[in-house]
């Protein structure tokens, strides 16, 4: 997966490049709009991460030029200005998502993966499996090692999210948004408690723990061999 | 052009013009009256002489007699000119040096009896009367009597009078102008006082006010309104500067923690797990800082009159239910019962509503003791939809209640805030959201129950 980052702030750009490279992506970094557009037109990128405020061509102009030339790769905007008009403008121009600075890297990574997953849904299996944990979407059943586990509706939703994106660290904000449709940062420890309760049901009594807390980042469901 | 004149100039101009009209009018009246008066006097004098002559003519027996009598009676009158002719052109009497006006032949009857006639001859101005009488001694003849006076001294007097009056008028108007300029200047002094007061107002000295008592009634209102405006500005300004200092203070503590922790970590070589631990802790602190900045931006937007991004009609009960589902686990862990009652519709932004209510709910959960309960009640009347969040627990100090919605306010300032605790912006955000919706928020706390009530306008 090839990602192009267009970001003029050198530190931000470098950190993003490093972070995304370490997450397994091939990453190029451009420092201004013109370079970014040039690179985007040349290389075949699966995703472009665009800062709105750029010297020369701004992010919107870059996006417009890309779309004008028929390039339909997904674009994620980074903006320091949280203005509704900005969001609307970005989305109208054909951006796929936006993140307001300061954002957490876990959040960015999760969004990037969400965008890249889109459009290649393929053969969605109705049963999700991670190690000996099994989640049956149709029958709304969960079992581990053959033993049934009863979950509430929201716990089921949470587990489904973690299993679909197993191996990925999911930030709390993403979990709140995907499972409870709470689309704002809240100060509460709701997610913590929910994970803690889910973990009690899933992992308790098992040698191998599947649900892990990554401090400062979020939560991940993974089998040991995925490391 | 007039608009560019100063008030003082305008007033001076008005007053001067008014004074000029009055003084000139008066002068013209005096002149006209004097003129009329002189004519009246002349008329009476001429009539006197005329009657005297008529008398003489009536008394005389012959023309010779009449001539003699006339000469007796009229020779020594200075400034009086008389000429008496008969219809044949013979002169009965003619004052010395007096010539009949050319255009006025003695035979001319056109002027009637009493009318005054005016003429000038060789630089002299005359006013006279012409009458025709039948003398007693000869009924066949007609005598034309012209009595006239030299009006030179009248003219001189009038000229003098005019000159005096005009001089007086001009001097008076100039004085009036000066006085009115002075009066206007003095009268407008309060305006200048207000202006000088205004120039001393700076952001550091916003407590200065316009002198309401010292200015006349007409300007007191203006001064009063300006003062009210200054009150509002000062209030807003104070809040703003308090806010920035609060903000700096709030940011300083976590930043210094981060810095210290990072520098201590760097001071000696440590193992990877320790580094990971420190970085994770930093990340948590940084996330909280980030959230605080976002909250502040949201508040700033709300105070600038943030528009509602999406305005729709939605069911308050459904949104509340979603939030209760979100908080359910936490409540259960704490052994707090979460309940919801009632129905109602709200017109506004769904996300903002969730956010407002979510702040109240998480607050309530934080302050409810184990085995307590939190109840959300929705009610709808014709004017408003109310959503109240009530929790059991210790009463809030009544002195604290009014400050609950202040930014960064914490009931217990010394309390160290664990991660679940907000930056003290939650209730301020909720209130800002309510204000954006044109609604209000209120709080009561008594008898072990604390109740926050959101009121949205509109209702059914």
């Amino acid at each position: 997966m090839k990602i192009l980052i267009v970001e003029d702030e050198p530190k931000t750009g470098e950190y993003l490049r490093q972070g995304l490279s370490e997450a397994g992506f091939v990453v190029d970094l451009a420092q201004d709009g013109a370079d970014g557009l040039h690179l985007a037109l040349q290389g075949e990128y699966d995703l472009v991460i665009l800062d709105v405020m750029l010297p020369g061509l701004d992010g919107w102009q870059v996006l417009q030029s890309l779309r004008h030339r028929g390039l339909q790769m997904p674009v994620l905007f980074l903006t320091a200005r949280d203005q509704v008009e900005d969001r609307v403008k970005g989305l109208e121009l054909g951006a796929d998502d936006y993140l307001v600075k300061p954002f957490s890297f876990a959040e960015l990574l999760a969004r990037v993966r969400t965008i890249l997953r889109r459009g290649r849904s393929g053969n969605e299996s109705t049963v999700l499996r991670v190690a000996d944990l099994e989640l049956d979407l149709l029958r709304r059943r969960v079992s581990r090692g053959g033993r049934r586990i009863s979950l509430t509706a929201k716990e089921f939703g949470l587990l489904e999210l973690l299993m679909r994106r197993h191996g990925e660290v999911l930030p709390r904000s993403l979990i709140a948004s995907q499972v409870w449709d709470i689309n704002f940062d809240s100060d509460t420890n709701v997610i913590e408690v929910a994970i803690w309760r889910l973990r009690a049901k899933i992992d308790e009594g098992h040698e191998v723990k599947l649900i892990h807390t990554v401090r400062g980042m979020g939560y991940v469901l993974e089998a040991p061999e995925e490391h | 052009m007039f608009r560019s004149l100063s008030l003082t100039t305008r007033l001076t101009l008005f007053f001067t013009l008014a004074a000029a009209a009055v003084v000139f009018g008066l002068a013209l009246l005096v002149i006209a009256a004097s003129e009329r008066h002189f004519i009246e006097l002349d008329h009476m004098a001429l009539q006197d002489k005329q009657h005297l002559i008529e008398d003489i003519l009536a008394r005389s027996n012959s023309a010779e007699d009449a001539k003699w009598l006339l000469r007796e009676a009229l020779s020594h009158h200075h400034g009086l000119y008389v000429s008496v002719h008969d219809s044949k052109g013979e002169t009965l009497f003619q004052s010395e040096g007096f010539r009949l006006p050319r255009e006025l032949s003695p035979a001319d009857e056109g002027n009637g009896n009493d009318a005054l006639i005016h003429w000038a001859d060789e630089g002299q101005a005359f006013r006279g009367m012409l009458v025709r009488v039948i003398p007693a001694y000869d009924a066949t003849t007609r005598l034309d009597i012209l009595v006239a006076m030299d009006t030179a001294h009248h003219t001189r007097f009038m000229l003098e009078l005019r000159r005096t009056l005009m001089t007086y008028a001009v001097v008076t108007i100039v004085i009036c102008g000066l006085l009115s300029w002075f009066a206007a200047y003095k009268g407008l002094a309060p305006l200048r006082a207000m202006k000088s007061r205004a120039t001393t107002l700076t952001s550091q000295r916003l407590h200065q006010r316009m002198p309401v008592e010292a200015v006349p009634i007409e300007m007191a209102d203006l001064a009063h309104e300006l003062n009210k405006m200054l009150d509002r500005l000062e209030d807003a300004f104070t809040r703003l500067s308090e806010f920035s200092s609060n903000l700096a203070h709030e940011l300083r503590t976590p930043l210094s923690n981060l810095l210290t922790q990072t520098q201590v970590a760097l001071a000696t070589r440590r193992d990877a797990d320790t580094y990971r631990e420190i970085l994770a802790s930093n990340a948590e602190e940084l996330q909280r800082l980030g959230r605080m900045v976002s909250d502040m931006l949201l508040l700033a937007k709300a105070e600038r009159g943030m528009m509602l991004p999406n305005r729709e009609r939605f069911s308050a009960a459904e949104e509340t239910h979603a939030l209760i589902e979100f908080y359910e686990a936490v409540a259960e862990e704490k052994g707090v019962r979460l309940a919801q009652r009632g129905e109602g519709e709200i017109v506004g932004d769904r996300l903002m509503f969730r956010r407002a209510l979510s702040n109240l709910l998480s607050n309530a959960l934080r302050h409810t003791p184990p085995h307590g309960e939190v109840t959300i009640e929705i009610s709808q009347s014709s004017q408003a939809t109310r959503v109240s969040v009530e929790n059991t627990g210790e009463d809030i100090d009544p002195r604290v209640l009014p400050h609950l919605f202040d930014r960064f306010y914490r009931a217990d300032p010394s309390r160290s805030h664990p991660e679940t605790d907000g930056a003290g912006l939650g209730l301020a955000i909720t209130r800002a959201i309510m204000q954006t919706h044109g609604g209000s928020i209120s709080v009561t706390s008594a008898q072990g129950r604390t109740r926050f009530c959101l009121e949205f306008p509109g209702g059914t």
Side-chain angles (χ1 to χ4, degrees):
Chain A
M1 287 269 149
K2 265 180 90 181
I3 297 181
L4 173 66
I5 302 169
V6 190
E7 166 65 77
D8 61 315
E9 214 286 306
K11 263 194 165 179
T12 312
E14 197 41 55
Y15 287 144
L16 287 179
R17 201 178 65 78
Q18 192 191 344
L20 289 171
S21 301
E22 286 174 6
F25 297 101
V26 178
V27 186
D28 286 332
L29 175 62
Q31 302 238 346
D32 63 52
D35 277 3
L37 182 61
H38 184 72
L39 277 174
L41 291 172
Q42 306 251 308
E44 296 199 337
Y45 292 98
D46 298 294
L47 172 70
V48 179
I49 298 177
L50 259 180
D51 189 21
V52 173
M53 310 281 251
L54 287 171
L57 285 176
D58 69 25
W60 288 322
Q61 288 169 312
V62 173
L63 175 62
Q64 256 175 329
S65 307
L66 286 180
R67 295 291 185 252
H68 194 67
R69 288 167 211 212
L71 284 167
Q72 295 300 328
M73 80 272 268
V75 169
L76 191 154
F77 265 114
L78 301 180
T79 169
R81 303 191 303 169
D82 183 18
Q83 300 286 343
V84 177
E85 307 93 84
D86 285 6
R87 295 183 200 180
V88 172
K89 187 170 179 183
L91 296 178
E92 268 177 0
L93 287 175
D96 294 82
D97 206 349
Y98 63 87
L99 265 177
V100 180
K101 292 179 186 173
F103 52 85
S104 75
F105 182 72
E107 179 81 30
L108 175 74
L109 195 58
R111 302 267 191 120
V112 165
R113 288 195 165 121
T114 308
I115 293 174
L116 291 176
R117 189 170 283 113
R118 268 179 219 158
R120 53 180 189 103
S121 50
N123 47 339
E124 280 274 320
S125 145
T126 60
V127 178
L128 305 174
R129 276 190 197 86
V130 176
D132 55 348
L133 180 64
E134 212 176 84
L135 184 139
D136 188 329
L137 286 167
L138 287 181
R139 292 192 291 165
R140 316 285 299 170
R141 271 188 188 173
V142 178
S143 62
R144 184 153 186 204
R147 251 202 15 240
R148 267 198 63 185
I149 302 169
S150 76
L151 295 178
T152 66
K154 288 294 167 189
E155 283 168 347
F156 188 89
L158 177 58
L159 185 61
E160 179 189 340
L161 176 70
L162 288 168
M163 288 183 76
R164 276 190 192 280
R165 307 188 65 163
H166 63 94
E168 285 180 32
V169 179
L170 302 178
R172 288 178 207 185
S173 54
L174 184 105
I175 295 173
S177 151
Q178 299 273 310
V179 180
W180 284 276
D181 192 25
I182 299 294
N183 294 300
F184 48 87
D185 265 345
S186 63
D187 291 330
T188 55
N189 55 344
V190 169
I191 308 301
E192 213 172 290
V193 172
I195 292 280
W196 186 75
R197 288 165 67 118
L198 183 65
R199 188 185 281 151
K201 290 186 179 177
I202 302 293
D203 283 345
E204 221 163 59
H206 291 270
E207 190 69 33
V208 177
K209 309 292 182 200
L210 293 176
I211 301 176
H212 307 276
T213 304
V214 182
R215 270 199 68 193
M217 297 273 279
Y219 303 96
V220 63
L221 185 144
E222 62 186 355
E225 67 268 23
E226 282 186 272
H227 260 301
Chain B
M1 194 204 88
F2 188 72
R3 288 185 46 168
S4 65
L5 290 179
S6 77
L7 262 187
T8 312
T9 314
R10 288 184 206 193
L11 287 173
T12 307
L13 220 59
F14 277 137
F15 288 145
T16 310
L17 283 176
V22 169
V23 172
F24 276 118
L26 200 64
L28 289 178
L29 267 180
V30 168
I31 289 168
S34 309
E35 195 104 30
R36 227 181 14 256
H37 180 65
F38 279 131
I39 292 171
E40 198 84 4
L41 280 181
D42 286 356
H43 192 200
M44 271 157 63
L46 288 172
Q47 254 178 345
D48 257 11
K49 295 301 165 207
Q50 181 207 328
H51 288 146
L52 177 74
I53 293 165
E54 280 174 354
D55 243 21
I56 289 171
L57 290 177
R59 276 190 285 114
S60 51
N61 307 321
S62 65
E64 286 309 307
D65 192 19
K67 275 185 195 174
W68 190 80
L69 282 172
L70 283 172
R71 197 168 304 124
E72 267 311 273
L74 301 169
S75 299
H76 305 293
H77 280 275
H78 178 76
L80 178 75
Y81 302 93
V82 178
S83 122
V84 183
H85 297 272
D86 66 11
S87 42
K88 289 180 233 104
E90 194 184 333
T91 306
L92 268 76
F93 179 82
Q94 171 103 18
S95 297
E96 238 174 282
F98 179 57
R99 286 191 303 156
L100 278 182
R102 254 179 301 268
E103 67 273 25
L104 196 83
S105 81
D108 193 349
E109 287 179 71
N111 284 305
N113 260 354
D114 249 6
L116 285 173
I117 45 181
H118 303 264
W119 74 94
D121 188 26
E122 290 182 348
Q124 275 190 301
F126 296 98
R127 181 175 289 143
M129 286 169 78
L130 184 66
V131 282
R132 177 165 290 185
V133 296
I134 302 164
Y137 59 86
D138 186 359
T140 60
T141 190
R142 300 278 185 280
L143 292 176
D144 284 328
I145 307 169
L146 178 66
V147 197
M149 298 173 89
D150 181 357
T151 57
H153 66 286
H154 290 172
T155 316
R156 249 197 326 280
F157 178 82
M158 286 308 296
L159 211 66
E160 195 65 25
L161 181 68
R162 263 198 203 102
R163 196 174 298 141
T164 314
L165 280 175
M166 284 309 126
T167 314
Y168 170 77
V170 169
V171 170
T172 310
I173 288 162
V174 169
I175 291 174
C176 262
L178 288 173
L179 283 177
S180 58
W181 175 83
F182 185 68
Y185 184 79
K186 276 280 159 199
L188 293 175
L191 263 188
R192 281 191 301 280
M194 284 166 77
K195 181 197 152 204
S196 72
R197 189 63 65 89
T199 44
T200 63
L201 276 172
T202 60
S203 53
Q204 275 83 44
R205 305 204 311 188
L206 263 181
H207 56 276
Q208 296 259 29
R209 289 293 175 272
M210 292 295 162
V212 177
E213 299 78 26
V215 299
I217 291 169
E218 291 90 332
M219 278 183 218
D221 268 358
L222 174 65
H224 192 64
E225 285 306 316
L226 282 174
N227 282 346
K228 283 208 278 188
M229 181 185 86
L230 285 172
D231 284 344
R232 290 194 295 272
L233 280 179
E234 189 181 11
D235 186 46
F237 197 83
T238 312
R239 272 195 296 146
L240 198 65
S241 63
E242 268 174 18
F243 183 47
S244 351
S245 81
N246 282 346
L247 174 62
H249 191 76
E250 290 291 329
L251 290 175
R252 191 161 52 185
T253 316
L255 280 176
S256 99
N257 286 348
L258 279 169
L259 194 61
T260 315
Q261 194 177 16
T262 310
Q263 286 177 336
V264 167
L266 288 172
T268 43
R269 204 168 266 285
R270 294 164 202 281
D271 61 33
D273 278 349
T274 316
Y275 284 131
R276 192 169 289 130
E277 185 61 29
I278 290 162
L279 283 176
S281 145
N282 281 1
E284 278 162 8
E285 194 73 17
L286 286 167
Q287 273 171 350
R288 194 155 55 245
L289 280 175
R291 202 152 51 220
M292 191 154 85
V293 170
S294 312
D295 284 354
M296 308 257 311
L297 282 175
L298 181 78
L299 263 180
K301 267 201 290 185
E303 301 212 324
R304 269 185 289 132
M306 162 184 70
M307 62 288 153
L308 299 175
N310 294 300
R311 212 181 160 78
E312 55 182 329
R313 181 176 282 274
F314 57 84
S315 154
E318 275 173 31
E319 297 305 312
T320 305
H321 182 70
L323 279 172
I324 283 189
E325 276 191 331
F326 185 58
Y327 284 105
E328 216 162 26
V330 176
E332 268 177 38
E333 283 306 312
K334 258 194 110 169
V336 172
R337 218 159 57 82
L338 263 180
Q340 173 188 358
R341 280 200 294 270
E343 282 284 343
E345 282 193 327
I346 289 170
V347 178
D349 186 89
R350 196 190 290 261
L351 184 67
M352 289 294 157
F353 171 73
R354 278 197 180 191
R355 192 159 187 167
L357 190 58
S358 156
N359 287 338
L360 293 185
L361 257 176
S362 80
N363 256 359
L365 281 172
R366 198 175 302 144
H367 294 112
T368 310
H371 312 298
E373 59 179 24
V374 175
T375 314
I376 301 175
E377 201 168 328
I378 304 162
S379 67
Q380 186 156 32
S381 71
S382 52
Q383 287 94 36
T385 304
R386 285 188 191 77
V387 182
S388 67
V389 179
E390 186 180 279
N391 71 285
T392 57
E394 259 178 64
D395 286 350
I396 302 175
D397 187 340
R399 281 168 302 177
V400 163
L401 282 180
H403 300 291
L404 280 182
F405 303 106
D406 291 355
R407 284 176 282 206
F408 296 123
Y409 186 81
R410 288 193 194 89
D412 175 10
S414 65
R415 185 176 63 186
S416 60
H417 36 109
E419 219 228 313
T420 51
D421 210 359
L425 288 171
L427 285 174
I429 288 177
T430 300
R431 182 176 64 172
I433 289 173
M434 292 314 294
Q435 280 165 351
T436 324
H437 280 83
S440 63
I441 181 168
S442 58
V443 56
T444 54
S445 184
Q447 281 144 22
R449 282 177 180 276
T450 300
R451 182 187 174 96
F452 285 87
C453 182
L454 305 178
E455 188 170 320
F456 289 84
T460 37

